[in-house]
Amino acid sequence: MTAIDLSSPVAVVGTGTMGQGIAQVALVAGHPVRLYDAVPGRAEAAAEAIGARLDRLVAKDRLTAAERDAARDRLTPAAVLTELADCALVVEAVLERLDVKQQLFRELEEVVADDCLLATNTSSLSVTAIGGALGNPGRFVGLHFFNPAPLLPLVEVVSGFATDVTSATRAYETARAWGKTPVACADTPGFIVNRIARPFYAEAFAVYEAQAADPATIDAVLRECGGFRMGAFELTDLIGQDVNESVTHSVWRSFFQDVRFTPSLAQRRLVESGRHGRKSGHGWYDYAEGAERPEPHTADKERPPAHVTVEGDLGPAAELLPMLREAGIQVREDDEDNGTRLVLPGGGQLALADGQTSVEFRDVVYFDLALDYRKATRVALSASQDTSSQTLTEAIGLFQALGKDVSVIGDVPGMIVARTVARIVDLAHDAVAKGVATEEDIDTAMLLGVNHPLGPFEWSRRLGRGWAYDLLDDLHLRDPSGRYAPSLALYRHAYATDKRESTP
């Protein structure tokens, strides 16, 4: 099944920001486009707004004047639904209410031809449930664009329980013909991105709620150590706290209140207070004119240790060893492989976050996972009240000798980046095992949909197949609520590798 022919009209119902964006994408691709909105005058206003954006594209040399004029000629506001009768595709972008969407598609089904593809841009509702109102749900599919639709390349093509393969394929190929990067997924709460991205927000909020670090410090660690484009607090301020929390609640409820998707009480209080982020002038941060942005916690300068002794290979942090040598710190190797840690001159130990806590051991400082220890500009350390001041001072000085800012946070298992990445990897494996999407499409979706530095499966390959399982298993022992219980899919993934490696 090929993409819808460019000569065939495409309709967009709902002319808000997303509807206008989708219409612009179809229009620039070359289709005649019909705009419909139930509120009189909105379709005409939307057509004018799209025309103005086309003017800006010409000013930026992204569109020629002739292409703009031709696109304008193909754009038609529709006063009634019957004007969409000859459309080959109708994309809905109206209010996120199941009853409203179902009623709209019942009406559309009475208007359009039998071979017209019907699509919803819903981000939080069940595609299956919306399509269930149709006499022929086989031609119904989800086409989830990301805002702003003209700029962001990702489109999740969602097959409902009753969606025909030919319909899904046609929608997929049409999105690709429009210059987008489509990914195919089953109808699951949150689809790909909003399902697998939940831990990025949830774990940051959990660390904050545990009073282990403030928002500015957590954001800085996610950015400067984890390699994420933005931290969770600043990103949700940009998205809108009310919007982000609504999606979280939708996914949580749709999974029958699965503890893995439990919303944040701190975020609930923020929303209740009216602090919705940038759009309200205050969220986690204050956006009033002249307001000072809080600085992340950064440790004072300390003297680096003269030497360290390495036990084991440090796993994902192995790159630290040549870096230490280059910084002039002597690295001694212990002949007995009895761990994966660095022993500091005072006898204290420095270990990569593994889901355990510092308070459990005699004198241990944990350091967080980094996307790239050479490029990272900040590293987080975690210590308990029982950790000696000498050990913490030596650990701070060691990373400062590598040119890193150091943030000391509370004694939380898995720290910040490590627990976040482990949970994202786990949800990704679980999604593949349950037929939601392929590994390749999940990685693509997370890279393009939320700008993660690596896809979950690229993280998994880089960190080792058992890394996420081991960390979550340790976390689960310390928080047996089920939130951190590794999925059966992740267990199988790690165990299968161990079994192969132990086979002669």
Side-chain angles (χ1 to χ4, degrees):
M1 178 65 68
T2 57
I4 293 171
D5 190 270
L6 290 179
S7 64
S8 300
V10 169
V12 177
V13 178
T15 58
T17 301
M18 185 58 76
Q20 290 182 31
I22 296 169
Q24 181 180 329
V25 170
L27 193 65
V28 172
H31 288 276
V33 173
R34 312 273 170 77
L35 282 174
Y36 174 80
D37 198 291
V39 178
R42 282 192 179 174
E44 289 80 5
E48 291 181 7
I50 293 170
R53 284 199 288 272
L54 295 178
D55 288 339
R56 290 195 289 272
L57 290 178
V58 172
K60 295 177 181 178
D61 292 327
R62 296 178 184 173
L63 206 66
T64 67
E67 289 169 335
R68 174 201 58 198
D69 294 342
R72 279 179 168 169
D73 290 341
R74 295 193 302 270
L75 181 61
T76 307
V80 291
L81 280 179
T82 52
E83 294 182 47
L84 314 183
D86 63 338
C87 289
L89 166 65
V90 179
V91 182
E92 164 272 315
V94 302
L95 186 67
E96 284 286 272
R97 274 181 45 186
L98 180 61
D99 59 336
V100 173
K101 293 178 187 289
Q102 287 178 328
Q103 180 60 33
L104 170 63
F105 282 108
R106 288 191 194 99
E107 295 174 8
L108 282 168
E109 198 170 32
E110 297 297 319
V111 171
V112 299
D114 291 341
D115 61 350
C116 175
L117 186 64
L118 298 176
T120 175
N121 182 60
T122 186
S123 61
S124 60
L125 299 176
S126 164
V127 171
T128 300
I130 300 171
L134 296 174
N136 176 20
R139 62 166 162 174
F140 186 74
V141 67
L143 275 177
H144 181 217
F145 289 77
F146 287 73
N147 193 29
L151 297 179
L152 295 185
L154 185 69
V155 177
E156 293 177 319
V157 181
V158 186
S159 293
F161 187 78
T163 302
D164 292 335
V165 173
T166 53
S167 298
T169 303
R170 192 179 184 200
Y172 185 98
E173 294 299 332
T174 298
R176 185 158 65 177
W178 290 357
K180 296 300 181 181
T181 303
V183 292
C185 67
D187 184 21
T188 184
F191 309 141
I192 297 175
V193 172
N194 280 328
R195 171 179 177 154
I196 295 173
R198 296 332 313 152
F200 179 73
Y201 314 110
E203 294 313 307
F205 298 161
V207 172
Y208 168 76
E209 288 175 338
Q211 300 187 49
D214 60 276
T217 299
I218 296 169
D219 277 354
V221 172
L222 286 168
R223 286 193 317 269
E224 301 173 38
C225 186
F228 292 93
R229 185 77 59 86
M230 298 178 74
F233 296 89
E234 57 190 345
L235 180 55
T236 51
D237 268 358
L238 178 63
I239 294 169
Q241 297 301 332
D242 53 337
V243 173
N244 181 261
E245 195 215 20
S246 176
V247 173
T248 299
H249 270 268
S250 175
V251 172
W252 176 61
R253 287 192 302 268
S254 298
F255 274 115
F256 309 105
Q257 300 185 5
D258 187 330
V259 68
R260 295 176 301 166
F261 301 101
T262 300
S264 162
L265 180 59
Q267 188 180 37
R268 175 91 289 263
R269 293 292 180 258
L270 200 68
V271 172
E272 288 174 340
S273 71
R275 294 185 172 186
H276 294 170
R278 289 177 181 262
K279 62 185 177 184
S280 69
H282 206 305
W284 295 109
Y285 300 109
D286 186 352
Y287 298 94
E289 185 177 353
E292 292 187 11
R293 182 70 175 264
E295 294 293 327
H297 171 270
T298 302
D300 293 335
K301 188 70 175 176
E302 301 290 354
R303 184 186 300 275
H307 63 83
V308 293
T309 301
V310 59
E311 296 180 349
D313 61 6
L314 294 190
E319 182 62 19
L320 288 174
L321 298 181
M323 293 171 60
L324 290 170
R325 294 186 178 99
E326 292 163 14
I329 298 174
Q330 183 184 7
V331 177
R332 302 171 181 174
E333 296 187 12
D334 191 327
D335 292 336
E336 294 184 13
D337 185 4
N338 55 2
T340 54
R341 61 185 69 88
L342 294 171
V343 180
L344 298 163
Q349 299 178 357
L350 186 60
L352 176 63
D354 59 4
Q356 301 182 87
T357 56
S358 180
V359 75
E360 300 171 51
F361 304 98
R362 183 181 64 81
D363 200 10
V364 169
V365 172
Y366 279 105
F367 64 94
D368 210 347
L369 177 70
L371 172 68
D372 185 324
Y373 282 101
R374 284 193 177 274
K375 294 181 180 179
T377 57
R378 182 178 299 272
V379 172
L381 301 181
S382 174
S384 76
Q385 65 271 22
D386 296 330
T387 305
S388 73
S389 58
Q390 180 182 355
T391 296
L392 183 57
T393 297
E394 289 176 344
I396 292 170
L398 182 144
F399 280 102
Q400 289 175 339
L402 302 182
K404 316 300 180 186
D405 286 329
V406 176
S407 292
V408 179
I409 69 170
D411 188 20
V412 287
M415 300 191 68
I416 298 171
V417 179
R419 70 197 287 176
T420 299
V421 169
R423 289 208 59 218
I424 289 171
V425 167
D426 182 46
L427 290 185
H429 279 281
D430 185 54
V432 169
K434 292 177 177 173
V436 173
T438 65
E439 292 185 8
E440 293 77 14
D441 276 356
I442 288 175
D443 273 0
T444 297
M446 301 308 290
L447 289 169
L448 299 182
V450 279
N451 288 312
H452 281 196
L454 295 176
F457 293 97
E458 182 58 30
W459 271 116
S460 187
R461 287 187 290 271
R462 177 181 290 201
L463 297 170
R465 292 168 69 105
W467 179 85
Y469 175 82
D470 290 341
L471 187 143
L472 290 175
D473 194 40
D474 278 336
L475 258 169
H476 177 54
L477 289 174
R478 288 150 185 84
D479 179 358
S481 65
R483 178 188 180 105
Y484 300 103
S487 66
L488 180 59
L490 191 64
Y491 171 79
R492 285 172 171 162
H493 181 74
Y495 176 75
T497 302
D498 291 342
K499 186 176 181 179
R500 282 197 300 271
E501 291 174 349
S502 65
T503 301

